[in-house]
Amino acid sequence: MNTRTAPAWSPELEARYAPLAAQLERLIPCMEVPLHLPWIDAINTLKQERGAVIMAHNYQSPEIFYGVADITGDSLALAQQAATCGSDIVVMCGVHFMAESVKVLAPDKTVLIPDMEAGCSLAASITAADVLALRAKHPGIPVVTYVNTSAAVKAVSDSCCTSANAVQVVESVAAEHGVKQVIFLPDRYLGAWVAQQTQLDLILWQGACEVHERFTGIEARHAREQFDAKIVAHPECPPDVLAEADFVGSTTAMGKWLEKAKPERVAMITECSMADNLRNEFPQVEFIKPCNLCPYMKKITLPKIHAVLSDLSNEVVVAPEDIVGARRSLDRMLAVGRRDRV
Ligand code: 13P
Ligand code: SF4
């Protein structure tokens, strides 16, 4: 089969995938489902032949998240499972820094990304040279780096963190260095949110997520007042959004909060697919979607996953000189683990 043309649809395929089709029809436009099923079947067949594992971030579209992924989760969960997943080939359905983290934590694995252009505005906002310049300006002050950065930036940092453990990582790194100041990068909004929860003084880089920075406090208030919705927001949102939120946390923590709080109606102030994927797990909850798409996450599609699995293309490579330092920073974060307060 040509890997770039759609595999054939058949009634047999429809019958075999009936439960998945019924699930997807509740999450995406129903007309799209018959277009996805042949690709899902072809990918699952090829995945087995290759002995590959497909990882998908919580922002991946439902046809990927529920159709082909073996491992799903937030940035922390994907990093935690990188080395232990029992396969030599990993396809990362997420953005480039996530694929790099898998490669750093499991350098012997072949890590493929369906689209090399799946970047991140936060990762693009800072280079290793910028970090070295900050270190020269603030000698002796440790650097904590959000995982949404390149391996080269991680390599010159003291520790990574994710939104699931940022406060605890910052505090443990400060204690280890015996200091009251920490350089935190690159997300100024996540940094401001962490700063509110600690006595430490944070020196922030002025990066932002181009998806979350577009949300406003007015939008969040409108959702609460007009729809009587609870507000759940990602900490990459600006402070006026977070001030309106009933819960702020990582993409995985959002699901845990829904489980605990059992709201009737919720506005998910984050990437669009998050609400679509959670709708499957929480059919009793009504989701209001102030919807901003991540253009990078959305570069990942079923045909592109099929293409990289077919020809083992788009292999993610990390420079050997960055692997050791980035590994140290990621391991320092993994030692802290998940600390979401739900
Ligand atoms: P999480 O670590 O919460 O999954 O967030 C990653 C991300 O890129 C959010 O925009
Ligand atoms: Fe990066 Fe924002 Fe997209 Fe997350 S949502 S991958 S932070 S651009």
Side-chain angles (χ1 to χ4, degrees), residues 52-56 89-93 110-114 305 308-309:
V53 156
I54 298 184
M55 286 188 160
I89 302 175
V90 175
V91 180
M92 172 53 78
C93 298
T110 301
V111 182
L112 309 174
I113 186 161
I305 299 169
V308 295
L309 265 175

Side-chain angles (χ1 to χ4, degrees), residues 65-125:
F65 196 84
Y66 290 110
V68 299
D70 303 293
I71 297 171
T72 56
D74 63 1
S75 307
L76 180 62
L78 298 179
Q80 281 171 325
Q81 294 187 64
T84 53
C85 76
S87 169
D88 294 337
I89 302 175
V90 175
V91 180
M92 172 53 78
C93 298
V95 292
H96 195 264
F97 75 79
M98 295 174 177
E100 270 194 342
S101 292
V102 175
K103 185 69 187 174
V104 166
L105 292 166
D108 295 336
K109 292 190 195 292
T110 301
V111 182
L112 309 174
I113 186 161
D115 191 320
M116 281 289 183
E117 302 293 311
C120 169
S121 68
L122 279 168
S125 74

Side-chain angles (χ1 to χ4, degrees), residues 11-261:
E12 185 275 325
L13 192 72
E14 190 176 29
R16 191 147 42 89
Y17 281 94
L20 176 65
Q23 194 181 17
L24 290 178
E25 277 163 8
R26 293 194 301 271
L27 311 177
I28 59 176
C30 59
M31 299 275 284
E32 288 179 16
V33 176
L35 303 176
H36 292 317
L37 290 184
W39 284 113
I40 289 171
D41 183 55
I43 289 167
N44 286 333
T45 306
L46 198 48
K47 182 174 75 176
Q48 272 200 325
E49 284 168 18
R50 293 273 190 216
V53 156
I54 298 184
M55 286 188 160
H57 183 261
N58 290 331
Y59 289 165
Q60 289 296 297
S61 310
E63 68 275 11
I64 295 172
F65 196 84
Y66 290 110
V68 299
D70 303 293
I71 297 171
T72 56
D74 63 1
S75 307
L76 180 62
L78 298 179
Q80 281 171 325
Q81 294 187 64
T84 53
C85 76
S87 169
D88 294 337
I89 302 175
V90 175
V91 180
M92 172 53 78
C93 298
V95 292
H96 195 264
F97 75 79
M98 295 174 177
E100 270 194 342
S101 292
V102 175
K103 185 69 187 174
V104 166
L105 292 166
D108 295 336
K109 292 190 195 292
T110 301
V111 182
L112 309 174
I113 186 161
D115 191 320
M116 281 289 183
E117 302 293 311
C120 169
S121 68
L122 279 168
S125 74
I126 189 160
T127 65
D130 293 326
V131 182
L132 295 176
L134 274 172
R135 280 193 182 280
K137 194 170 162 199
H138 303 283
I141 306 300
V143 176
V144 173
T145 290
Y146 193 29
V147 283
N148 296 40
T149 45
S150 67
V153 165
K154 291 181 175 80
V156 290
S157 302
D158 291 281
S159 179
C160 293
C161 70
T162 75
S163 49
N165 57 20
V167 177
Q168 295 78 9
V169 169
V170 162
E171 291 192 335
S172 82
V173 167
E176 187 181 289
H177 286 74
V179 292
K180 294 266 176 260
Q181 252 192 341
V182 171
I183 298 170
F184 185 90
L185 33 105
D187 187 351
R188 64 178 184 270
Y189 295 134
L190 176 65
W193 181 69
V194 172
Q196 272 178 16
Q197 298 169 71
T198 170
Q199 300 298 314
L200 297 166
D201 175 25
L202 299 193
I203 299 166
L204 302 182
W205 185 254
Q206 293 302 308
C209 160
E210 68 181 55
V211 179
H212 290 89
E213 75 172 341
R214 299 210 317 263
F215 292 113
T216 64
I218 294 170
E219 258 177 303
R221 208 170 320 125
H222 177 77
R224 179 196 303 289
E225 289 172 0
Q226 293 294 311
F227 304 104
D228 193 24
K230 295 289 181 200
I231 309 297
V232 170
H234 196 276
E236 290 169 11
C237 292
D240 61 333
V241 174
L242 302 187
E244 296 288 338
D246 296 282
F247 178 70
V248 177
S250 72
T251 56
T252 290
M254 289 175 179
K256 289 187 183 159
W257 186 83
L258 290 184
E259 215 173 291
K260 192 174 153 198

